[in-house]
Amino acid sequence: MRLIGGATAAMVVLGAFGATAAAAAPGKGPDNAGPRYTAGASGVGDAYFPLAGNGGYDVQHYDLAIRYAPPAPSPAPLSGQFDGVATIDLVATQDLDRFNLDLRGMDVRSVSVDGKPATGIQPPLAGQVVDGAAYWHVQNADQREWELTIQPRPKLKAGQAVQVVVEYGGATTRPLDIEGALYGWVTTRDGAMVVSEPDGSMTWYPVSDHQTDKATYSFEITVPEGKTAVANGIQPKPAETVDGWTTWFWDAPDLQASYLTTASVGDFDLVETTSTGGDIPIIDAIDRKLTAAQRTALNTRLALQPAMLDFMEGYFGEYPFVAYGSIIDNDTVGYALETQTRPVYGIGQSGEGTLLHEAAHQWFGNAVSPERWQDIWLNEGWATYASWMWTEHRGGISAQQAYNNWYAPARTTAYWNLQIGDPGNMGLFATQVYNRGAATLHALRVEVGDDDFFEASRLWLERYDDSAGTSEDFQAIYEEVSGKDLDGFFQTWLYDQVKPPATWTITP
């Protein structure tokens, strides 16, 4: 959930000047037809974030070893010290001369590929050929270009698995996304809130930062003794303290989109419970600085988490991951986020409806992610609609009445002009994406009937589990199950820039 009420251009070159340009020609393919080995694309081509993610390889696993010292007490600057080693297992999907990782605001200290070190150099000029194993780093805020380019030697063949190790670090800040909202590694006085939608994971580790390249994760996060570091998944072993520093271990064995990773640091108590059936560990991290009244009210809400998982399993199938839980901080970034297995909340964003919303995202958005950021309504519409269903389940107004209440008020032309099927990169978290998205799903439920609606939702989750899909894929699933042509329906709800007709506004 991301619902929120002038950087200058900079090119930063990291690492000492090493390898020099050479005039050697690249290798040729059969019959001298052209280069066999080519550079991987610097982005996956998402229309909203063209340089997010990278081409030419598929990441299998990230192992992130982090050492983090939070800021000193006020009035010291609000900046921590971060040192990281990212070990990245990837498989080349083409014959690669070089490839990129996304990394913003950090200094690169060393790079190796399968144990062979690369030399840090100045970014080469266009058309300039670089000799030998090398890397260079460009950071250009005006162009939203944060690219670490790695040139391995020997070159990589399609299908080849390699391990890339990047040592990096620097002073942490409070990064802003394209809309000016806090995201990524957000420094707090007592630690960090780590919430990275849509492309903020690159602010704290080198990554192919797009949800079409999911991977598994493991974490070793070392912080001053007394601090707690919380990431995704489960704890494979207890924390270890040596010489005033504690290392926390977390393992996330389920495939995960990069924006759903977290490594939040703070003054947390870890509270462990289980799902109703005892098969899903629920690990909550609760800030010790909450007031007694805040803690009591929060405990009442968190106690509903097993029932929330049961509720959604009844409609959408088995919970898709190894664990669940919540991170509740006394600080805030102004929104909650559905970080996989362990959503992050400020205490002011941890109401019952929001807890349900983020739990629903574990199915819609996390297990199945939007293949393009323009399809974000599939995340937020479903999570909002699930909260409508939960309200009805808890004895509140029905989902139909929630729809009617959304439909009834007069709204501005600007409200209806936003196409939730393509809201633009500045409209990703507009209220229409959430509420018209939920209304779209309710209208679809009325259109095809309850049986087909929920059968299709389960088929969507089954067919695209651990991957990503588009609005067109979603429509095709509902047409397959219902036998109906839904072109007109989805045109009306996702793209028409007028209020939909009253067809679906019925008496509950």
Side-chain angles (χ1 to χ4, degrees), residues 40-126:
S42 57
V44 299
D46 193 298
Y48 288 6
F49 303 97
L51 294 178
N54 297 283
Y57 62 88
D58 179 23
V59 176
Q60 307 297 298
H61 183 75
Y62 294 91
D63 182 274
L64 303 178
I66 295 165
R67 184 180 178 95
Y68 177 62
S74 181
L78 192 57
S79 177
Q81 180 59 43
F82 185 110
D83 298 285
V85 178
T87 302
I88 305 168
D89 297 318
L90 59 84
V91 175
T93 56
Q94 66 184 64
D95 291 339
L96 278 175
D97 175 72
R98 63 185 62 161
F99 60 91
N100 287 21
L101 291 164
D102 305 310
L103 184 63
R104 171 181 172 183
M106 292 281 175
D107 300 332
V108 178
R109 295 162 183 164
S110 70
V111 173
S112 66
V113 180
D114 275 353
K116 300 177 178 66
T119 301
I121 67 168
Q122 299 275 358
L125 301 174

Side-chain angles (χ1 to χ4, degrees), residues 26-44:
K28 298 290 184 178
D31 302 321
N32 208 34
R36 173 184 171 190
Y37 291 91
T38 56
S42 57
V44 299

Side-chain angles (χ1 to χ4, degrees), residues 9-10 29 38 78 85 96 119 158 161 172-173 234 249 253 277 279 287 291 297 300 327 335 348 425 467:
T38 56
L78 192 57
V85 178
L96 278 175
T119 301
T172 65
T173 59
I234 58 174
F249 303 92
D279 55 331
D287 200 310
T291 67
T300 299
I327 302 172
Y335 56 88
N425 58 14
S467 63

Side-chain angles (χ1 to χ4, degrees), residues 398-423:
S398 67
Q400 180 66 58
Q401 188 59 57
Y403 172 92
N404 292 351
N405 290 349
W406 166 82
Y407 188 86
R411 302 186 188 275
T412 65
T413 300
Y415 182 92
W416 299 114
N417 277 344
L418 188 134
Q419 298 173 311
I420 66 167
D422 194 2

Side-chain angles (χ1 to χ4, degrees), residues 3 58 96 141 163 181 204 217 271 285 332 454 487:
L3 186 57
D58 179 23
L96 278 175
Q163 187 170 85
W204 60 284
Y217 284 79
V271 179
T332 183
F454 289 111
D487 279 349

Side-chain angles (χ1 to χ4, degrees), residues 10 45 53 95 150 159 172 182 217 225 229 235 255 258 306 320 322 349 359 376 415 456 491-493:
D95 291 339
I150 299 171
T172 65
L182 290 167
Y217 284 79
E225 185 175 0
Q235 291 181 277
L255 289 177
S258 55
V322 71
Q349 292 83 39
I376 193 172
Y415 182 92
Q491 176 64 39
T492 295
W493 280 98

